[in-house]
Amino acid sequence: MDTSPRPIDVALAANGAEADKHPLSAAALNALVHLYRAEVGRMTAYRQRLDTTTSWAITSSALVTTFSLGNPTIPHEAFIFLMFVNVFFLVVEARRFRVYEAARYRVLLMERYFYPEVLGEVSTREWRPALIEALRTPYSYPPVGMLAAAGWRLRRNYVWIYAAVLLTWIAKLEIAGGGAADLIAGANIGRVPGGIIWALVVATYFGLIGVAMLAKRSYPMGSEAAQAVLRQEPD
């Protein structure tokens, strides 16, 4: 009877010995479990904060649209003001999104490597340096830029909000000007000609479209473990 070890057994034993070089102590296991719970809580909290900011933008847009279209005494300038208010909401939401993504990255790192290792699966990647690197800057790693965060939120939510505001602004100009409304002349604000107002609005919307299309989410390509996690995440 051949009792020599098979090649696959030798490979598994070698992998197991490699993984057991630096086993996690009981204190480290306990700390990582508490860290996972804290990061899930932080991610959930910032997910709710993202929804809150979007709700502010939707509610403000709905209120301005309802009151402005229903009351002819309210000028079209209310929609211009609303456009810039929504820019403020977008900036706030982009800042929150950066923190959310940092917490989400750490949660994914532990779910993909730490818990399978605890359950007995041999990890072929060294994930601990990636987690330590992320913990050194817990609110900004991976460093998602403001433009990337704003572009992601624009593609997800704000593009529809801005489209609705633009269409209702044009509708307000038509209502205020009557049947044969001159949309350019009717857009004047005080001594500022309507052509300049239209140019500012068009430039703002082209800028938003550019941010939404060009500013993709980008992450640092650091350690092997970080690359493995991020490559599998949908953009």
Side-chain angles (χ1 to χ4, degrees), residues 18-109:
E18 185 70 23
D20 291 338
K21 284 183 179 179
H22 303 287
L24 292 170
S25 64
L29 287 171
N30 188 46
L32 284 173
V33 169
H34 284 292
L35 175 64
Y36 177 77
R37 293 176 59 188
E39 292 298 342
V40 169
R42 179 183 296 171
M43 187 178 68
T44 303
Y46 271 89
R47 174 71 262 183
Q48 294 173 349
R49 295 184 72 182
L50 288 175
D51 294 338
T52 299
T53 315
T54 305
S55 297
W56 290 347
I58 294 174
T59 303
S60 301
S61 301
L63 288 175
V64 171
T65 299
T66 301
F67 286 107
S68 182
L69 294 182
N71 189 346
T73 61
I74 298 178
H76 72 91
E77 288 91 331
F79 289 98
I80 304 297
F81 177 73
L82 177 61
M83 293 176 188
F84 288 101
V85 169
N86 284 338
V87 170
F88 169 75
F89 289 148
L90 176 61
V91 171
V92 172
E93 187 161 326
R95 293 174 60 185
R96 294 177 174 181
F97 182 74
R98 298 175 69 189
V99 181
Y100 167 79
E101 283 297 305
R104 179 170 171 265
Y105 170 80
R106 291 187 291 274
V107 168
L108 289 174
L109 201 60

Side-chain angles (χ1 to χ4, degrees), residues 74-164:
I74 298 178
H76 72 91
E77 288 91 331
F79 289 98
I80 304 297
F81 177 73
L82 177 61
M83 293 176 188
F84 288 101
V85 169
N86 284 338
V87 170
F88 169 75
F89 289 148
L90 176 61
V91 171
V92 172
E93 187 161 326
R95 293 174 60 185
R96 294 177 174 181
F97 182 74
R98 298 175 69 189
V99 181
Y100 167 79
E101 283 297 305
R104 179 170 171 265
Y105 170 80
R106 291 187 291 274
V107 168
L108 289 174
L109 201 60
M110 286 186 282
E111 287 179 348
R112 178 160 177 79
Y113 294 105
F114 168 61
Y115 280 102
E117 192 173 291
V118 169
L119 296 174
E121 181 180 298
V122 177
S123 177
T124 59
R125 301 183 186 276
E126 187 56 46
W127 56 272
R128 298 173 202 180
L131 181 59
I132 293 172
E133 186 179 3
L135 290 174
R136 287 196 176 100
T137 53
Y139 295 102
S140 59
Y141 186 93
V144 182
M146 278 295 295
L147 284 179
W152 181 251
R153 300 313 295 171
L154 270 169
R155 290 195 297 269
R156 284 290 183 173
N157 296 322
Y158 279 79
V159 63
W160 309 109
I161 298 174
Y162 277 106

Side-chain angles (χ1 to χ4, degrees), residues 160-201:
W160 309 109
I161 298 174
Y162 277 106
V165 172
L166 179 63
L167 291 176
T168 50
W169 177 58
I170 295 174
K172 177 66 177 181
L173 292 177
E174 290 185 346
I175 293 173
D182 187 348
L183 297 181
I184 296 180
N188 65 304
I189 300 177
R191 296 183 179 180
V192 181
I196 295 179
I197 302 300
W198 267 100
L200 291 175
V201 170

